[in-house]
């Protein structure tokens, strides 16, 4: 089916209703029905990408194979669809304006006044259609960030209006709103939904389907009322009630017949009934754990679990494989010290030291590594977490007492982690790290190689510093193994301590590649090792 259809998902009433999960769920159902589907997120803020945003602002920055620093919703898209996204799947207002202004500077507009309509809206439409025309998807689902009524999202809603007009029958708008429950009167209230649909109508967009988020069951009367006030068919008013895991949402949406309605309204023919056996099996194992483990996640953004979204989801996938519930204990690295170390770490079955940037909280991370290493607790260090493992080993095993990363200390006499050669001349912050997927060759017989069960892998990176090869011999002599190497640049990508039960540090981010259908082998094996403890 080359004739691409476009589905837009907008949000009303409040933010954080789960547009990303609804978008991913519809996509999953359509994919399971045999369509080639992708999801895209349009973010209305002015940053060119979220790469320069503090995780407190926007949660985790998700990295794609082609090295784009993107919104964390793209992680959900990949985890649900099990196909990679790319730069084209996340567009911000900053990027749209940058593209338009670059064209203006080149003289592409031939002396015309450059305006929001048509130039900005044309660029938005171009970015939306690119996935259909260039990447040949049957269905492109576009999630529009923010809430309808925000000043920032106006050009996006206008672009949707134009596309609906230009491609009759091929564009569908799904609007997600909140139906609050008033316990005082025991009622579900539809007025906020009516108002937010009015706001869409004022912008010229009639939603085709309404998804109502609610904590109580939506009654037929409520459905009828919403349908009447908002000009939608009653069977297009879909209930989305709160569930214990996001992975249940596709199943609920299927029960609500959302996929059937979308297919009918887009006048497309599905090749098969949704094939959801793998998904259902994953859910069954997830919801019926036979055992449990507790993993300590040591990082400095623990106040906001979204900062470690992909890591937390990877543990959910790995837990399901091992039929075990993985409890995550978020441990603030800034408050971890030698005095409270026992109290905070001794009951854990495994310790993960998280990625991160800058000096804050680094000492706590190094303490966590030392505790894991000395007490034979399964350990996984990711990016900065691996670098901390290298620093700790250099200080406490090799005896380089002031060993450090030059990111934290410029004056260390043992810079065991140092800036990459290619990074030395770079001054700009945005999109200038070592980003995206790189090849890594695994050493036979190592924990990593046994986990992956292959010798060549591709994993995604986001860092400026690396293992300093000048110290390689010292580490090997004292019992650290290099388990993975980048063949092109000879960079150390994986370290292990073979005398330890399970001690692995990776310079890349395995969490970006774990999906429901392909749980990441390192997480699966880490949980397995934790189970044995
Ligand atoms: N700050 C470290 C570096 O840039 C690690 C980055 C990370 O953990 N993503 O190399």
């Amino acid at each position: 089916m080359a004739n691409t259809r476009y589905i837009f998902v907008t949000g009303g009433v409040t933010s954080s209703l789960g547009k990303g999960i609804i978008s991913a769920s519809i996509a999953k159902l359509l994919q399971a029905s045999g369509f080639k589907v992708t999801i895209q997120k349009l973010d209305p803020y002015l940053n060119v990408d979220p790469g320069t945003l503090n995780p407190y602002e926007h949660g985790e920055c998700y990295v794609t194979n082609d090295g784009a620093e993107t919104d964390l919703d793209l992680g959900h898209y990949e985890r649900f669809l099990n196909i990679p996204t790319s730069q084209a799947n996340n567009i911000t207002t900053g990027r749209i304006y940058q593209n338009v202004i670059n064209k203006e500077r080149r003289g592409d507009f031939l002396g015309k006044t450059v305006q929001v309509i048509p130039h900005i809206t044309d660029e938005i439409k171009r970015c939306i259609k690119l996935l259909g025309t260039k990447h040949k998807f049957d269905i492109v689902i576009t999630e529009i960030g923010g809430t309808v009524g925000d000043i920032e999202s106006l050009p996006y809603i206008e672009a949707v209006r134009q596309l609906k007009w230009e491609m009759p029958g091929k564009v569908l708008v799904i609007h997600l709103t909140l139906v609050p429950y008033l316990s005082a009167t025991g009622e579900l209230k539809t007025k906020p939904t009516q108002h937010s649909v009015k706001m869409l109508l004022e912008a010229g967009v009639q939603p085709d389907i309404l998804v109502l988020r609610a904590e109580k069951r939506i009654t037929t009367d409520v459905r009828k009322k919403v349908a009447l006030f908002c000009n939608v068919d009653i069977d297009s008013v879909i209930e989305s009630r709160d569930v214990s895991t996001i992975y249940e949402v596709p199943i609920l949406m299927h029960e609500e017949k959302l996929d059937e309605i979308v297919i009918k309204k887009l006048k497309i023919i599905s090749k098969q009934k949704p094939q959801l056996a793998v998904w259902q099996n994953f859910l069954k194992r997830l919801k019926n754990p036979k055992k449990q483990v507790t993993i300590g996640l040591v990082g400095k953004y623990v106040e906001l679990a979204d900062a470690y979204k992909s890591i937390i989801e990877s543990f959910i996938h790995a837990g399901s494989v091992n039929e075990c519930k993985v409890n995550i204990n978020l441990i603030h690295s800034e408050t971890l010290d030698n005095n409270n170390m026992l109290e905070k770490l001794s009951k854990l079955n495994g310790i993960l030291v998280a990625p991160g940037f800058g000096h804050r909280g680094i000492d706590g991370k190094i303490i966590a590594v030392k505790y894991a290493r000395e007490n034979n607790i399964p350990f996984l260090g990711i990016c900065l977490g691996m670098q901390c493992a290298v620093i700790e080993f250099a200080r406490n095993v090799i005896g380089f007492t002031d060993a450090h990363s030059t990111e934290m200390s410029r004056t260390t006499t043992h810079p065991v982690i140092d800036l990459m050669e290619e990074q030395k001349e770079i001054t700009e912050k945005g999109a200038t790290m070592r980003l995206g997927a790189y090849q890594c060759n695994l050493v036979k017989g190592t924990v990593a190689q046994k986990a992956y069960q292959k010798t060549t892998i591709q994993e995604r990176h986001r860092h400026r510093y690396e293992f300093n090869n000048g110290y390689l011999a010292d580490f090997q002599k004292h019992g650290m193994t290099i388990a993975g190497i980048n063949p092109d640049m000879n960079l150390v990508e994986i370290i292990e301590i073979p005398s330890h039960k399970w001690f692995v540090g990776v310079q890349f981010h395995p969490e970006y590649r774990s999906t429901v259908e392909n749980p990441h082998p390192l997480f699966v094996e880490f949980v397995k090792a934790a189970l044995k403890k």
Side-chain angles (χ1 to χ4, degrees):
M1 196 187 93
N3 215 337
T4 309
R5 304 293 201 269
Y6 295 88
I7 300 176
F8 293 93
V9 180
T10 57
V13 184
T14 76
S15 56
S16 307
L17 287 181
K19 275 197 305 278
I21 302 299
I22 290 292
S23 306
S25 300
I26 301 165
K28 182 77 228 168
L29 293 173
L30 294 171
Q31 183 195 52
S33 304
F35 296 105
K36 197 172 163 223
V37 192
T38 190
I39 324 175
Q40 171 189 51
K41 171 113 189 241
L42 302 182
D43 272 314
Y45 52 72
L46 287 175
N47 304 64
V48 172
D49 61 44
T52 51
L53 284 173
N54 184 323
Y56 287 123
E57 291 281 318
H58 207 59
E60 166 189 278
C61 172
Y62 185 79
V63 179
T64 57
N65 277 337
D66 63 350
E69 296 175 281
T70 71
D71 185 81
L72 59 77
D73 271 331
L74 272 78
H76 290 308
Y77 306 164
E78 289 203 14
R79 289 186 281 271
F80 275 56
L81 292 186
N82 198 33
I83 53 165
T85 53
S86 70
Q87 174 82 74
N89 293 73
N90 191 197
I91 313 286
T92 68
T93 299
R95 185 175 301 281
I96 297 282
Y97 271 78
Q98 194 180 49
N99 291 351
V100 172
I101 290 168
N102 287 345
K103 280 188 198 162
E104 186 273 335
R105 293 288 83 184
R106 282 202 307 264
D108 290 3
F109 296 116
L110 303 173
K112 286 264 182 230
T113 308
V114 180
Q115 297 180 293
V116 173
I117 306 171
H119 301 99
I120 294 297
T121 45
D122 278 354
E123 179 61 17
I124 294 174
K125 289 194 292 182
R126 190 188 68 81
C127 290
I128 293 168
K129 288 200 266 188
L130 199 64
L131 285 169
T133 50
K134 191 168 154 213
H135 300 273
K136 304 264 180 285
F137 284 100
D138 298 330
I139 301 168
V140 175
I141 299 181
T142 303
E143 174 191 349
I144 301 196
T147 308
V148 167
D150 295 347
I151 291 175
E152 299 188 312
S153 29
L154 278 175
Y156 293 104
I157 303 295
E158 168 60 14
V160 173
R161 185 194 68 78
Q162 293 179 17
L163 285 172
K164 234 185 163 204
W165 178 252
E166 288 163 19
M167 298 192 281
K170 291 187 184 162
V171 173
L172 210 62
V173 176
I174 301 180
H175 188 54
L176 172 65
T177 74
L178 176 73
V179 177
Y181 176 75
L182 283 195
S183 50
T185 54
E187 280 175 308
L188 284 165
K189 305 305 280 182
T190 63
K191 198 71 84 190
T193 298
Q194 294 177 39
H195 282 178
S196 107
V197 170
K198 286 242 157 64
M199 213 155 341
L200 261 182
L201 288 170
E202 274 170 29
V205 175
Q206 166 68 55
D208 302 283
I209 296 171
L210 295 174
V211 178
L212 310 182
R213 183 79 194 267
E215 26 173 324
K216 300 267 176 204
R217 300 304 301 254
I218 305 266
T219 59
T220 309
D221 281 350
V222 171
R223 284 185 206 245
K224 273 190 190 151
K225 192 167 170 188
V226 171
L228 177 70
F229 277 98
C230 303
N231 325 321
V232 294
D233 305 325
I234 181 143
D235 65 356
S236 299
V237 180
I238 305 288
E239 168 195 278
S240 168
R241 61 175 192 279
D242 298 349
V243 276
S244 58
T245 156
I246 54 169
Y247 297 106
E248 222 171 323
V249 179
I251 306 299
L252 281 185
M253 290 301 108
H254 181 56
E255 282 165 13
E256 282 281 300
K257 301 195 167 47
L258 179 55
D259 45 339
E260 219 175 274
I261 293 160
V262 166
I263 288 170
K264 193 172 90 193
K265 283 195 185 289
L266 285 175
K267 298 194 179 62
I268 46 181
I269 294 158
S270 56
K271 299 186 183 76
Q272 61 201 36
K273 276 201 150 65
Q275 307 286 304
L276 292 166
V278 177
W279 195 275
Q280 295 275 27
N281 188 31
F282 161 83
L283 256 186
K284 200 169 117 202
R285 294 166 78 101
L286 182 68
K287 290 168 89 178
N288 300 293
K290 299 202 165 78
K291 343 152 232 208
Q292 54 176 315
V293 287
T294 302
I295 305 284
L297 197 172
V298 184
K300 66 175 169 181
Y301 300 115
V302 291
E303 302 88 344
L304 184 79
D306 266 4
Y308 301 115
K309 194 81 201 163
S310 293
I311 293 179
I312 291 171
E313 297 303 319
S314 301
F315 276 122
I316 294 178
H317 308 155
S320 170
V321 176
N322 285 296
E323 289 182 275
C324 126
K325 180 171 183 341
V326 181
N327 305 306
I328 309 269
N329 223 339
L330 293 165
I331 298 168
H332 203 314
S333 56
E334 257 187 312
T335 60
L336 185 63
D337 56 33
N338 285 319
N339 298 324
N340 59 25
M341 171 179 82
L342 267 183
E343 170 209 335
K344 293 198 177 187
L345 306 177
S346 63
K347 293 194 185 70
L348 300 171
N349 305 102
I351 293 177
L352 186 147
V353 174
F357 294 84
H359 193 276
R360 189 168 67 87
I362 196 81
D363 294 334
K365 288 187 172 179
I366 294 173
I367 286 174
V369 178
K370 182 165 187 272
Y371 189 85
R373 182 180 57 75
E374 289 181 341
N375 295 284
N376 221 355
I377 298 174
F379 170 84
L380 180 59
I382 299 182
C383 208
L384 182 62
M386 167 205 141
Q387 298 176 355
C388 287
V390 169
I391 295 165
E392 194 278 325
F393 195 88
R395 288 183 186 177
N396 302 320
V397 179
I398 307 179
F400 299 155
T401 45
D402 81 330
H404 222 321
S405 160
T406 49
E407 181 181 6
M408 322 300 164
S409 159
R410 304 228 162 168
T411 54
T412 171
T413 54
H414 291 99
V416 290
I417 302 291
D418 199 8
L419 203 56
M420 279 182 272
E421 234 8 84
E422 73 218 42
Q423 286 286 333
K424 289 193 175 148
E425 306 298 318
I426 292 174
T427 50
E428 295 233 333
K429 289 272 180 280
T432 56
M433 283 186 250
R434 182 183 182 210
L435 287 166
Y438 286 88
Q439 189 182 324
C440 169
N441 291 347
L442 301 177
V443 176
K444 271 228 163 84
T446 55
V447 169
Q449 191 269 320
K450 285 188 209 146
Y452 283 96
Q453 302 206 339
K454 44 182 155 176
T455 47
T456 300
I457 54 166
Q458 294 272 341
E459 289 283 5
R460 301 182 198 173
H461 292 250
R462 183 174 188 247
H463 61 110
R464 295 183 203 282
Y465 294 81
E466 58 161 327
F467 185 99
N468 183 344
N469 277 335
Y471 292 97
L472 201 59
D474 294 301
F475 281 90
Q476 285 170 326
K477 198 166 78 202
H478 285 86
M480 185 173 267
T481 295
I482 307 306
I485 300 260
N486 170 285
D488 304 313
M489 291 180 284
N490 198 31
L491 300 177
V492 169
E493 310 283 39
I494 308 177
I495 55 121
E496 290 180 10
I497 303 179
S499 59
H500 190 283
K501 215 180 265 171
W502 206 95
F503 191 104
V504 179
V506 289
Q507 186 56 78
F508 48 78
H509 292 262
E511 71 275 21
Y512 294 145
R513 288 200 42 230
S514 188
T515 71
V516 166
E517 277 153 53
N518 255 323
H520 198 286
L522 282 181
F523 280 90
V524 172
E525 291 304 311
F526 179 43
V527 169
K528 207 175 276 170
L531 267 169
K532 287 192 197 135
K533 165 135 194 316

